[in-house]
Each structure stands twice: as structure tokens, then as C-alpha cells.
Amino acid sequence: PSIVHFTDKTVAWENTLCQLNGGIVNFGTERVSTELVTTIDPDCIYREEGRILHFMDSTNDSRLIKQIFREIRCGQLEHAQQLCVHCGQVWRAAVLEGWRLFHDPNYDNNVYHMMGGETKRIGKEREILPVEGNPNRDIWKLCAWKMCEDPHASADERAVMGALCGHLPSLLPLCTTWEDQLWAYTRVSVDVAVEQQIRQVSLKNYQPLEDGYWNNLRSLEKIIKEIARKDDQFKPNRTLQELLILDKCDELFSVCTCWLEEQKEASEPHFLRYLCHLVLVLRTIGRPGAAYHSDQVISAYVKVLMQKGDCDLVAYYCSLLPEEEQVDLYSTFMEEITDKNDRAECLAAAEKYNLNIPLITEKVVQNVRSKKKDSEIEGDLTLVREITEVDKEKISALDWMIYYPHQRAESIWECNTLIRTFIAQGKLPAARLAFDRIPSDSMEMILQQYSENGIVDRDALPPKVGAAIKEFLSYKAYLDAQEGFSRWFHEFHNTRPTLPSKYEGNDFTQKLAHEHRLNRYNEDCNRWKSTMLHETKTIKALLFNVLTFPDGGWLVDEYKDDPARRDNMQRLRGLCIPQVFVLLHKVLHSMELYEEAIDLVTLLMDESTKFYKIFNRTQLNDITIKIAESCDSILTTSLDPLGWEGGDPIDMVEDYDNEEIDDLDRNFQSPTHLNIDATLEEVPGVGDDNVHEEEELITAWAKMAETSFNKSYDIQRLKETSDNIDDDSDNESL
């Protein structure tokens, strides 16, 4: 053993002993030897009043006693006894042993001892074991009590004995801090409680102790109240210590929650870490307290870890929370992660600690999608807006849901929601980017998940999955149509040959050059017309894909579990379908396909699709005016306003049936088109060699009249509908 300022192992008071034996001590001999004690024993100082030890011995003795008290304060009584023996004061080590309770193991008839971790019975042989403790403990305690009240003893000696015999007044002068006072009060109270219990259950007669000794018994609540200090009321550590000592875990959790809401000290990272681990320790020992309060503490620490960006730590502490809070916190953490490798690391950490990844990734996409700038205006398709950084974040968030094959269906669902918003905002490029974010093999992967023996039954798909797939394909048709129209518009207006300026001079060379330019212009026009006819056929097919979308129509399904989605889809139909009609009419009218442009009225007024109910009054007026313009334009040819040429009626009907309008039949296989394009073969008796020529002529004229009547009737209905419909307010944005 070692001690500060003490020498190696020696005898007690070696300098005094040396000087009494006639030796010379080089230091501390200013006083004459007559002032020193005449004998060396433990009581010589008290017995020979007026005499002292050698100065160096007194100093060393004082330091030793102080160190003994420190060891006792630290619970190291055995180490204090070793120090006493080391310094030659074996008697002091024996004094420190006097407080122990007496126990004689030899009273047991059968003697046991431990060997190799197991109890082994010796048998009838008796082995004398050492006795433990002090059989005269009550007498020792009386003597120690008197020593604590002896004014000649130093404060350190009184404190050492007071700690062992339960004398509180001798301890308090040396216990200045809150922790030391708590130890002093508690040690004395425990000593009194043990002594009280022994005297109640034991048959032995003990020496009576002082009344002051029994008055030192206090409860923990009273001790905490007595040692409380005013400056400790706002110290979180002190409050936590008190509540833990008093075993008030519920109140502790409640106080921690209040700190998180009010006090600034609780927002420090290290203190939050301390509170979090305190909560975890209490959970481990079976004292979890109120779940709400403990979860609040852990959540606060998780938010601190989120700022550091450690995926593993965030995932671990999130796993200690209820699932709902796991999803909320971890999804919030994942929102700010954009790097592909970091995202993979976050998902790996979530798998490691068994977090609900499907719910978390879905929550991430929803959280990012909910971000919106105030400057964004929705519901106007006429303005094509640029893609903002917020839009890019929303699109990038879809990547969270494509890491796992079983989430492809849900990723399409979330992608559809985002596309609906972009289309409503007029951000078609952003909608295309969101659409392309879904891998091309997603459809096949989803169908394989619900296939049996390699056979995919469409009816076997869950309603939500089927609705998501159809909506996704609906957006594909719409986006393809919009992009096709943009290409057609560009080709029509930017690649059209320019007519050379008219030359009115008489120069033969210039005239020849002008004729050459005209010939070249005519050749370019022919090529341009050929190209535009091909482009027109393509864009007609794309636009009709939207208007004749199968299974009930574009953005129409039977999924009713999400009323908000259904309402948004209905609004999109009101925004997009009138626009598709306008674009299709523009294509047909610009390419001088006036008959097909007029035929749109039949599709619009068809009762199976009821497109006219989607239009508001303004939109119906606009489409009516455009169709009227096509009727006016057709008058410039030899046709009538409904598209019939002059000449032989039978030939006119046959020519009508053989027109390019059959392209419309290939784009939409709908019975409504037959109302416009009724062929001669469908008229009974026409083309039969056995029918008289006059009857065939009459039938042809009747067919032409019926078709013209149908067109006129549909146009009249369109006008009446436009006049009678209530003027709707502007479509609300999604």
C-alpha cells in the first residue's frame, strides 16, 4: 500500500521513539526532549497531558488519519486498515475492526467450505474457523461515541470514529458537499436501523447507548429535505439523483419531459445522451415508467443523432421506440439523404435493427412530396413551368421505394400521386421525369408477384395494385400524347417551307431562277406534306389513346377506398380531356382533315363516354366554335358543311367508306365511331347484284341523309348542352 507523504513501512512514531532512545533526529527537534511523551503507546498522548509527539510524527499522524477518513468515505475500510499496518499502527487497524457484527461459523454442527465453486461437506470432523466481528460491539460503540465527543481528539479522528459508530455531529464538519452530507446522514441512519433490528431480535443484553444515537434515524425523504440547498433547485443532475434515491421513477420521467420542453440545459447533446441511457437502464431493471415520457427522452436524443448523420446509431435508438415514432423519426432522417450510397447504408441499418422499411420509405416519399413553395400556382395547364429544386427532391425521393421488389406496386402508387400534382401544376416535364423514375421492369415484376404457375390472372390482383397500374398506364398515354403533339407542332410550324417572294421584273435570268425556286418550293412542300401526314397519323393515334382508353376510360377505375384520390382524378379528367379534344381538333383542322375534325362532335356527345359532361360551359363553347370553323372551312371545297361531295350518291358513299378515316377505327375500337363512319356494306341490300339499280340508288341517298342527320343532331345537342350547362367555376388545383 502507498499513501501520499508517507514513508516506507516502519514503526509508529519512529522519530519520537528515536529521540527517546537517545538518538538524533535532524529535523523537527527545536523543542527539548522534556516536552515529548515518555512512553510509546496508543494512549500516551491522552494520558500524558502537556506532552507531545515529535513534530514530524504529529504531521505524519495527521496525514494518515485524513487518508483513513478518505478511504472510509470511499468504502475502502480494508485499505485503510492496510495503511495503518503499513505505518506501524496495528492497534489503529484493530480499532477500525471493532464496528463489525460478531459471527462465529463454528456453531454449525456440519462444517462446510467452498472448493471449486461447490459446497463440500467435511462430515463429522470439526474444523475450527476464524471468528468474524466484535462480540463486544456494544461496548466498543460506547467508547467510540465518547471518543467522538472528546475535545482533545482531532476532527479527523472524531470523524473516523463517528462514521463507524453512528455519531453524526462528528461527521458533518468534514462533509461539506451535498454528496458527502448525503453519505453521512445515510450511513448513520443505516447504522442506527441495523442496531435497532439486532437489539429487537437478539436475546443478548446489550449496553444502553446514548439517546442522541437513536435520534439519528431518519427516512430518505427527510434526509433529502435536510441536506437540500437553494442553489441545487435548478441543477438537473441533483434532481435526478434525488428522484433515483427516493425511487420515484415516474416522477423522474415526467421531470425529464418537462426539461425537454422548457429548460435549455436539457437540449445539450451530452445531457440528452445521459438522460437517454438513464431511461434505458431503468427499462432494463424493470422500472420503465410511463412509456410516453421515456419515449420522449429517446426521441429527443435521436434528433441529436440525426444532426450528426450516423445511420447506425439513429437506426438503433429508433428501434427502441414504438413503431409509429420509428417511422416518423427515421423517415425524417432519410429525407435529407440524397447520395445513393448513403441511402443504401440507411436501408441496411434499418434492416439490421428490424425497422419497418416499407412504412418508412413510403413516409419519406409522402413527406418530401408534401413540401410546396407558396409561389407555386396549381390548376393551370396553359403554363409550362420549369422544374424547381423542390420538384427534383420529390422525384428523387421515389428512389427510396425501388430498392426492394415487393415495394414496386407501392412505388407506382406514390409515383401516380406525384404525377397528378405535376400535371395539375402544368409541369409536364416534371411528370415525365417522375414517370421515368420507375424502372421499366416494374410491371413485369409486379405481375410475377401475383402470378400462379407463371400465369397472371388480372382478377387476382389486389384492387389497389390494379388501380395503380391502370392509372400509371393512363399517365403514360397522356404524356406520350403531349410529347407527340409537341413534336408535331414543331414540325408543322418550324419545318414548313417558305414561299419565295414574287418576282415582277423582266430579267430572264431572274425569272428562271424564280421558277427554279418555285419548283424547289413545291418539291419541299410535297415532302413536308408527306412527312406531316405521317406525323399526323402518329399524333392522332396518341391522342385517341387517351380519349378511347380501355376499361372504362382514362383515369377511371373502381377503387373507392381513397376518396381524395378519386376526386383528384376526376378533376384531372376535367382538365386534361377537354385539352386533348382541342389538341386533336387543332391537328385535324391544321392538316385540312375537316371531316375528321367535324366527326369529333359525335365522339364528344356519345352517351357511352359522356365526355360532354366533363366540359364546362366555356370549354363547350370553345369546342363548338372550333368545329364550326371546320364546317366553314369545308365549304371552300366542293363538299357540303357535313362533308358530302356532289356526284353519284353510290360513289359518294363508297368513297366515304374508303377514306383515311379508318385510321380512327384502328385507334379506338368503339361503336360510337360507327355512328359517323357507317359503311355501305352495313346498309341492307346495297351491293347486292339481285337488287334493282333504282333501289340501290335510293338506299345510298337514304344512307347519306341518315349520316348527315346524325351529324347535324350531334352538333345541335352540343350547342344545346353548351347553352344549358351551368358555368362551372375554375377547376380547383390538386
Side-chain angles (χ1 to χ4, degrees), residues 113 203 431 473 527 594 603 623:
H113 68 90
L203 299 178
L473 295 177
R527 284 194 297 270
Y594 303 123
L603 178 61
I623 195 66

Side-chain angles (χ1 to χ4, degrees), residues 262-517:
E262 299 175 1
Q263 295 187 9
K264 296 181 179 180
E265 292 85 349
S267 61
E268 297 180 0
H270 289 292
F271 186 70
L272 282 175
R273 181 174 180 269
Y274 164 63
L275 291 181
C276 178
H277 287 87
L278 177 61
V279 168
L280 297 180
V281 170
L282 293 176
R283 282 186 177 183
T284 303
I285 64 176
R287 301 300 302 276
Y292 169 76
H293 297 302
S294 59
D295 293 340
Q296 286 288 98
V297 175
I298 299 176
S299 298
Y301 183 55
V302 169
K303 293 176 182 178
V304 172
L305 295 176
M306 288 165 57
Q307 298 176 1
K308 297 183 178 180
D310 193 321
C311 299
D312 194 76
L313 287 178
V314 173
Y316 169 72
Y317 286 99
C318 281
S319 66
L320 303 175
L321 296 169
E323 183 175 288
E324 184 178 355
E325 293 190 37
Q326 291 179 15
V327 173
D328 291 339
L329 286 175
Y330 206 69
S331 61
T332 303
F333 171 65
M334 292 167 62
E335 286 178 26
E336 306 300 328
I337 299 176
T338 57
D339 184 73
K340 185 176 181 180
N341 295 329
D342 292 342
R343 287 183 172 182
E345 184 179 351
C346 284
L347 293 176
E351 286 184 0
K352 178 180 178 182
Y353 297 107
N354 299 319
L355 301 182
N356 194 328
I357 295 178
L359 286 180
I360 290 175
T361 52
E362 181 180 349
K363 184 71 172 179
V364 172
V365 176
Q366 293 174 355
N367 290 347
V368 176
R369 190 178 66 243
S370 63
K371 294 180 179 179
K372 182 182 69 175
K373 293 183 178 179
D374 295 335
S375 60
E376 294 179 349
I377 305 175
E378 303 176 353
D380 187 0
L381 292 179
T382 61
L383 300 177
V384 179
R385 300 174 180 84
E386 297 294 332
I387 302 177
T388 64
E389 292 298 325
V390 175
D391 296 334
K392 293 179 181 179
E393 292 179 8
K394 296 176 182 179
I395 297 171
S396 176
L398 294 173
D399 292 343
W400 286 109
M401 304 191 69
I402 63 176
Y403 283 94
Y404 300 96
H406 64 274
Q407 281 194 277
R408 290 298 176 88
E410 192 63 34
S411 67
I412 291 179
W413 181 272
E414 294 297 333
C415 181
N416 291 340
T417 306
L418 188 59
I419 292 176
R420 283 199 299 270
T421 303
F422 286 147
I423 293 178
Q425 295 173 350
K427 297 182 178 181
L428 298 184
R432 171 57 72 177
L433 286 179
F435 182 88
D436 294 339
R437 209 74 177 190
I438 303 299
S440 58
D441 62 343
S442 296
M443 293 294 181
E444 180 181 358
M445 192 174 296
I446 293 172
L447 295 177
Q448 288 178 354
Q449 294 174 6
Y450 296 98
S451 63
E452 295 182 2
N453 299 325
I455 301 175
V456 179
D457 185 5
R458 184 177 177 183
D459 296 333
L461 293 176
K464 184 176 181 180
V465 175
I469 293 176
K470 183 181 179 183
E471 184 182 358
F472 190 70
L473 295 177
S474 297
Y475 294 134
K476 181 181 186 304
Y478 179 76
L479 294 174
D480 290 344
Q482 287 284 356
E483 293 172 358
F485 178 80
S486 298
R487 291 192 301 269
W488 177 89
F489 189 85
H490 179 270
E491 291 290 334
F492 185 83
H493 290 281
N494 297 335
T495 64
R496 188 170 189 170
T498 305
L499 178 66
S501 59
K502 186 177 180 180
Y503 179 72
E504 298 178 353
N506 296 324
D507 190 322
F508 176 77
T509 304
Q510 294 296 329
K511 285 184 178 180
L512 186 62
H514 178 68
E515 291 177 358
H516 177 72
R517 286 194 294 269

Side-chain angles (χ1 to χ4, degrees), residues 42-302:
D43 297 324
C44 63
I45 302 176
Y46 304 104
R47 186 177 62 255
E48 301 182 25
E49 295 183 4
R51 294 184 176 270
I52 59 174
L53 297 174
H54 189 275
F55 172 76
M56 296 183 64
D57 291 335
S58 298
T59 303
N60 291 339
D61 203 47
S62 176
R63 290 171 178 170
L64 173 62
I65 295 175
K66 289 180 181 294
Q67 186 64 25
I68 290 174
F69 180 76
R70 295 191 189 100
E71 297 293 342
I72 294 176
R73 173 66 181 87
C74 297
Q76 301 290 335
L77 180 61
E78 290 78 6
H79 191 230
Q81 291 175 310
Q82 292 174 7
L83 285 176
C84 294
V85 174
H86 176 77
C87 296
Q89 298 187 18
V90 181
W91 57 270
R92 195 182 294 275
V95 170
L96 298 179
E97 187 73 13
W99 72 278
R100 296 185 186 275
L101 295 173
F102 177 75
H103 173 63
D104 187 356
N106 297 298
Y107 278 102
D108 192 2
N109 293 328
N110 297 316
V111 182
Y112 297 85
H113 68 90
M114 301 298 295
M115 294 184 63
E118 296 181 359
T119 303
K120 182 178 179 181
R121 180 170 178 173
I122 303 288
K124 296 182 180 180
E125 299 180 1
R126 294 185 58 84
E127 179 182 355
I128 304 301
L129 298 178
V131 176
E132 300 176 1
N134 183 7
N136 299 315
R137 181 171 175 272
D138 52 341
I139 299 176
W140 176 91
K141 185 163 289 191
L142 281 173
C143 296
W145 186 273
K146 291 182 179 181
M147 184 176 179
C148 292
E149 295 181 345
D150 187 357
H152 296 91
S154 65
D156 294 313
E157 286 182 301
R158 292 197 299 270
V160 168
M161 299 308 297
L164 299 178
C165 73
H167 191 274
L168 183 60
S170 62
L171 281 173
L172 293 180
L174 271 66
C175 297
T176 56
T177 65
W178 184 89
E179 289 80 3
D180 290 339
Q181 290 183 2
L182 176 64
W183 169 79
Y185 276 91
T186 305
R187 183 176 181 86
V188 170
S189 296
V190 170
D191 188 88
V192 174
V194 170
E195 188 71 25
Q196 192 178 58
Q197 183 67 17
I198 291 175
R199 294 183 179 236
Q200 287 177 356
V201 300
S202 177
L203 299 178
K204 180 181 177 181
N205 293 324
Y206 292 95
Q207 293 293 328
L209 297 177
E210 299 288 341
D211 294 338
Y213 174 81
W214 303 109
N215 295 333
N216 289 330
L217 181 62
R218 295 174 175 84
S219 64
L220 285 174
E221 288 81 0
K222 189 174 182 180
I223 293 175
I224 295 296
K225 186 176 180 180
E226 287 190 13
I227 65 175
R229 302 181 180 183
K230 294 182 179 180
D231 57 345
D232 289 341
Q233 294 179 1
F234 303 102
K235 292 183 179 180
N237 286 333
R238 183 73 69 245
T239 303
L240 292 176
Q241 289 174 330
E242 293 177 356
L243 294 175
L244 285 173
I245 292 170
L246 299 177
D247 196 23
K248 296 181 179 179
C249 294
D250 292 335
E251 185 177 348
L252 184 146
F253 290 124
S254 178
V255 169
C256 291
T257 305
C258 293
W259 286 341
L260 295 176
E261 297 174 353
E262 299 175 1
Q263 295 187 9
K264 296 181 179 180
E265 292 85 349
S267 61
E268 297 180 0
H270 289 292
F271 186 70
L272 282 175
R273 181 174 180 269
Y274 164 63
L275 291 181
C276 178
H277 287 87
L278 177 61
V279 168
L280 297 180
V281 170
L282 293 176
R283 282 186 177 183
T284 303
I285 64 176
R287 301 300 302 276
Y292 169 76
H293 297 302
S294 59
D295 293 340
Q296 286 288 98
V297 175
I298 299 176
S299 298
Y301 183 55
V302 169

